[in-house]
Amino acid sequence: MAATTGKSPVSSSFVQKLNPRTSYCYQDSYSTINLPRRLRRIHSQACNNISSSSDQVPDSVHKQAKAIELQKLIDDDSRDSSISLPRPLTSASLSNLATEGSRLRVAYQGVRGAYSESAAEKAYPNCEAVPCEQFDTAFEAVERWLVDRAVLPIENSLGGSIHRNYDLLLRHRLHIVGEVKLAIRHCLLANPDANLEELKRVLSHPQALAQCENTLTKLGLVREAVDDTAGAAKFIAFHKLKDAGAVASETAARIYGLNILARDIQDDSDNITRFLMLAREPIIPGIDKPFKTSIVFSLEEGPGELFKALAVFAMRNINLTK
């Protein structure tokens, strides 16, 4: 995977053979090939209907009626096409997304209080964040028009890549339209009537547990993996567990009425997760700001094949970030 860099980059995805040029040409050909075919058919029908009554009205009336009917059909078709066809996002439209966040439904993986929910709200302020049980569900929700966008994690500065979402990017026809980075600050949570000495185990997402390994080892807590951090907080709150805690966010503690026994328990304070903003429509990159490009490709087996592929970027002075 290769990427160009720039200050405050905006991402655009290229999965398999997709790129800005083919995405743009696809949209252009869709507009100029499919729509006129329908218009030609409609035009013919309109003219035939008017011609059939030629012996009843003057010729000037025929022409005027045809012109009015034809314009009405074109206008109707334009309205239909604007509703049914997704338009590619332009770089100019991205600057308006933050202010239009209140109109967007944004999917994220997890339950309320998840870090992904905070990332979605950071990416699209005032949006309606929609929780999904699994990453797959979030992808499908966007594809089925149940939501407008999805914000999903792709890599963490300590835990590395989230390979599942790389695989899903190849399986689904969504496009990366931006990215947002979120500082992860883990807290040790417990029910109000529980104290640190009573805790024997701690629940959280596997990456969160790994990121707090030193602290949890010192406390002598048994680690139990669950689907997400906020889900762990919700579980111990719902079951009123006294011997179990959760590694989750301060927001999750507030939502589920839990006490914060310890803050910032991650082993490394520089704990950042990068989230991708996904949409059905691709971006047409502009020249007004630097763009980051993600590329997926495969190579034949053989000595130096990867070197040859990467040399293409080096020869053109294109920097790679990962």
Side-chain angles (χ1 to χ4, degrees), residues 38 42 62 68-69 82 107 118 129 136 143 162 183 191 250 265:
R38 181 186 171 194
I42 294 174
H62 293 288
I68 293 173
E69 182 69 17
S82 65
S118 298
D136 312 55
E143 286 184 324
I162 292 120
N191 279 297
E250 185 176 347
I265 63 172

Side-chain angles (χ1 to χ4, degrees), residues 205-279:
H205 187 275
Q207 278 209 358
L209 294 174
Q211 292 164 11
C212 304
E213 184 175 1
N214 292 338
T215 302
L216 298 178
T217 300
K218 290 177 183 178
L219 294 174
L221 297 175
V222 176
R223 281 150 275 186
E224 297 182 11
V226 295
D227 286 340
D228 60 88
T229 55
K234 182 179 180 180
F235 181 84
I236 67 169
F238 181 79
H239 294 281
K240 303 185 185 303
L241 301 178
K242 291 185 177 181
D243 67 334
V247 174
S249 66
E250 185 176 347
T251 302
R254 184 174 64 253
I255 291 173
Y256 300 111
L258 300 174
N259 282 349
I260 299 177
L261 301 182
R263 300 175 186 271
D264 294 328
I265 63 172
Q266 62 271 8
D267 299 337
D268 193 329
S269 58
D270 187 23
N271 186 4
I272 307 293
T273 297
R274 184 166 70 97
F275 292 82
L276 298 181
M277 299 152 63
L278 304 176

Side-chain angles (χ1 to χ4, degrees), residues 52-58 62:
S52 63
S53 57
S54 59
D55 56 340
Q56 301 176 15
V57 292
H62 293 288

Side-chain angles (χ1 to χ4, degrees), residues 301-315:
E301 291 288 341
E305 291 298 322
L306 180 59
F307 168 78
K308 294 174 185 176
L310 298 181
V312 172
F313 300 98
M315 292 171 62

Side-chain angles (χ1 to χ4, degrees), residues 74-319:
I74 293 174
D75 292 342
D76 289 344
D77 191 84
S78 298
R79 283 195 294 270
D80 291 343
S81 64
S82 65
I83 295 173
S84 60
L85 298 180
R87 299 292 183 183
L89 298 173
T90 64
S91 57
S93 66
L94 293 178
S95 60
N96 299 324
L97 290 180
T99 58
E100 296 177 355
S102 58
R103 308 180 202 172
L104 296 177
R105 286 168 54 84
V106 181
Y108 68 92
Q109 187 274 328
V111 299
R112 287 202 62 212
Y115 292 109
S116 292
E117 182 184 29
S118 298
E121 292 171 347
K122 183 177 180 180
Y124 300 103
N126 303 317
C127 71
E128 180 187 351
V130 180
C132 299
E133 289 188 358
Q134 304 293 335
F135 293 130
D136 312 55
T137 311
F139 274 86
E140 291 173 4
V142 180
E143 286 184 324
R144 296 181 182 182
W145 295 75
L146 301 176
V147 297
D148 303 297
R149 303 282 191 275
V151 174
L152 299 171
I154 197 66
E155 64 179 347
N156 176 265
S157 57
L158 302 181
S161 299
I162 292 120
H163 298 290
R164 176 61 177 163
N165 284 337
Y166 279 111
D167 293 339
L168 290 172
L169 281 171
L170 285 173
R171 268 186 219 176
H172 296 268
R173 298 296 296 270
L174 298 186
H175 303 269
I176 304 172
V177 296
E179 67 176 26
V180 61
K181 295 179 180 179
L182 186 72
I184 306 300
R185 301 182 62 185
H186 292 308
C187 299
L188 180 59
L189 312 181
N191 279 297
D193 55 348
N195 55 61
L196 189 57
E197 291 72 24
E198 293 178 319
L199 295 186
K200 297 180 180 178
R201 56 197 178 107
V202 61
L203 286 66
S204 195
H205 187 275
Q207 278 209 358
L209 294 174
Q211 292 164 11
C212 304
E213 184 175 1
N214 292 338
T215 302
L216 298 178
T217 300
K218 290 177 183 178
L219 294 174
L221 297 175
V222 176
R223 281 150 275 186
E224 297 182 11
V226 295
D227 286 340
D228 60 88
T229 55
K234 182 179 180 180
F235 181 84
I236 67 169
F238 181 79
H239 294 281
K240 303 185 185 303
L241 301 178
K242 291 185 177 181
D243 67 334
V247 174
S249 66
E250 185 176 347
T251 302
R254 184 174 64 253
I255 291 173
Y256 300 111
L258 300 174
N259 282 349
I260 299 177
L261 301 182
R263 300 175 186 271
D264 294 328
I265 63 172
Q266 62 271 8
D267 299 337
D268 193 329
S269 58
D270 187 23
N271 186 4
I272 307 293
T273 297
R274 184 166 70 97
F275 292 82
L276 298 181
M277 299 152 63
L278 304 176
R280 289 179 294 272
E281 307 87 356
I283 290 179
I284 301 174
I287 59 174
D288 56 328
K289 65 181 71 175
F291 276 76
K292 178 183 289 184
T293 301
S294 299
I295 305 174
V296 178
F297 59 90
S298 60
L299 299 170
E300 297 291 337
E301 291 288 341
E305 291 298 322
L306 180 59
F307 168 78
K308 294 174 185 176
L310 298 181
V312 172
F313 300 98
M315 292 171 62
R316 289 160 178 81
N317 200 32
I318 299 175
N319 190 29

